[in-house]
Amino acid sequence: AMGWLGADPEAYGKVALQGLLSRMGDENELVRAQTCRALARLGEPAVVPLLDLLTSRDEKLQHTASTALGLL
């Protein structure tokens, strides 16, 4: 799966981060929970985008971001 990105884990992390962040406001609670766990596994690169989401007007996004940060 990483072949198209080459062997660059940083590039893979950026693509994964963007994909995961797009699922943060999903209507399905299970999707949001899985997204939190996956973002926690990404670690430090996820911190700033998650902190930014804490100021969102969308309470679901705030809660999901808070949960993900708590798992880091």
Side-chain angles (χ1 to χ4, degrees):
M2 285 181 55
W4 64 276
L5 292 170
D8 184 1
E10 186 175 328
Y12 177 75
K14 288 178 184 177
V15 171
L17 179 60
Q18 291 307 310
L20 291 167
L21 290 172
S22 73
R23 305 305 294 173
M24 294 285 289
D26 197 279
E27 291 297 319
N28 186 314
E29 187 176 342
L30 182 59
V31 170
R32 292 191 311 271
Q34 293 292 339
T35 300
C36 285
R37 286 191 278 282
L39 285 165
R41 284 193 296 272
L42 283 179
E44 188 272 329
V47 172
V48 172
L50 289 171
L51 288 173
D52 289 343
L53 288 174
L54 293 177
T55 61
S56 172
R57 292 183 181 194
D58 184 331
E59 289 182 14
K60 246 188 309 197
L61 282 176
Q62 289 177 355
H63 178 72
T64 306
S66 175
T67 302
L69 285 165
L71 293 173
L72 285 170

